[in-house]
Amino acid sequence: KQEVTQIPAALSVPEGENLVLNCSFTDSAIYNLQWFRQDPGKGLTSLLLIQSSQREQTSGRLNASLDKSSGRSTLYIAASQPGDSATYLCAVRPPGSQGNLIFGKGTKLSVKP
Amino acid sequence: NAGVTQTPKFRILKIGQSMTLQCTQDMNHNYMYWYRQDPGMGLKLIYYSVGAGITDKGEVPNGYNVSRSTTEDFPLRLELAAPSQTSVYFCASSYSSSGGAGDTQYFGPGTRLTVL
């Protein structure tokens, strides 16, 4: 059974730091991996989707990498800002699914001014 | 585009009551999903639909029902509410399930449900 783990559960950094959020999954057979952002009391916002054939995706200050063989993905945030404070969720789409995602519990990021 | 909209935003139910959570998307997406999120936990899939008239169970379907009569709407029905159904419910949609960029899921703002 596919399981997704995100470590650490919470992270606090000063503004301006570059940081890395980690996501690991137990079954390397995935169709894609998605990173989401969730603000308190709000829904999820898609940040990046990495297809199984890709190694990384970039959007602005965000860069996500995927290493299927080791079951790992990282989300790199450059020059962090207080507005980046949120919970970041990683989710994988297993093969044979109809788009269903399996989520990790998230990393709660706090960027201090 | 409004994207994915959900109503109501909040609701308190008594044990044994029933209700329907509404979900509508205006992106002409074929794929729609219902998830629940319990405190400190990841989202778990309740039901999903690959198109009008087609629905299937996810990981935690017990106590819920869905229907998909149109492309736009995907309501979730709770019958005989129980305290274990206290959660935040999210509806999502995607254009495709091909594994590519069209798989990106778009989420509604959620419905916070409390069963007392």
Side-chain angles (χ1 to χ4, degrees):
Chain A
K1 179 184 174 184
Q2 177 73 270
E3 292 183 1
V4 179
T5 303
Q6 293 185 248
I7 295 174
L11 180 65
S12 182
V13 301
E15 181 177 5
E17 269 202 11
N18 302 324
L19 61 99
V20 174
L21 305 181
N22 296 297
C23 172
S24 61
F25 45 97
T26 54
D27 188 343
S28 62
I30 63 172
Y31 275 172
N32 59 50
L33 182 145
Q34 298 184 44
W35 282 95
F36 295 88
R37 168 186 174 137
Q38 184 175 27
D39 294 288
K42 300 290 179 65
L44 281 68
T45 300
S46 177
L47 297 173
L48 291 163
L49 180 151
I50 310 177
Q51 299 176 42
S52 62
S53 59
Q54 297 175 326
R55 297 289 298 220
E56 66 178 340
Q57 280 286 336
T58 298
S59 176
R61 294 183 294 110
L62 305 180
N63 176 278
S65 68
L66 175 64
D67 183 344
K68 281 202 324 177
S69 61
S70 67
R72 294 177 189 272
S73 175
T74 61
L75 179 66
Y76 175 83
I77 302 177
S80 59
Q81 303 170 358
D84 294 330
S85 298
T87 296
Y88 290 81
L89 294 157
C90 164
V92 299
R93 185 188 156 194
S97 70
Q98 295 294 331
N100 317 345
L101 295 175
I102 298 175
F103 282 83
K105 295 180 182 180
T107 294
K108 185 175 182 179
L109 173 66
S110 177
V111 182
K112 305 294 187 184
Chain B
N1 282 356
V4 180
T5 57
Q6 292 183 239
T7 57
K9 286 186 169 52
F10 304 93
R11 183 73 185 267
I12 298 175
L13 284 182
K14 294 182 180 179
I15 294 172
Q17 288 185 321
S18 300
M19 75 164 294
T20 298
L21 282 66
Q22 301 292 344
C23 174
T24 300
Q25 53 91 10
D26 63 358
M27 297 174 282
N28 202 32
H29 286 172
N30 282 323
Y31 297 81
M32 296 188 73
Y33 314 89
W34 274 105
Y35 296 92
R36 60 176 286 172
Q37 184 178 36
D38 299 322
M41 305 294 288
L43 281 73
K44 293 190 183 300
L45 183 69
I46 305 172
Y47 271 94
Y48 66 96
S49 169
V50 302
I54 306 170
T55 63
D56 207 346
K57 297 177 181 178
E59 185 181 356
V60 290
N62 291 345
Y64 307 95
N65 275 300
V66 294
S67 60
R68 184 96 182 269
S69 57
T70 66
T71 300
E72 296 78 19
D73 300 306
F74 190 39
L76 177 71
R77 177 83 177 161
L78 278 72
E79 304 283 1
L80 300 175
S84 61
Q85 293 178 303
T86 293
S87 190
V88 182
Y89 292 84
F90 290 103
C91 179
S93 72
S94 67
Y95 174 72
S96 72
S97 69
S98 63
D103 278 22
T104 298
Q105 292 196 10
Y106 296 86
F107 281 75
T111 293
R112 189 175 298 272
L113 176 67
T114 302
V115 182
L116 300 174

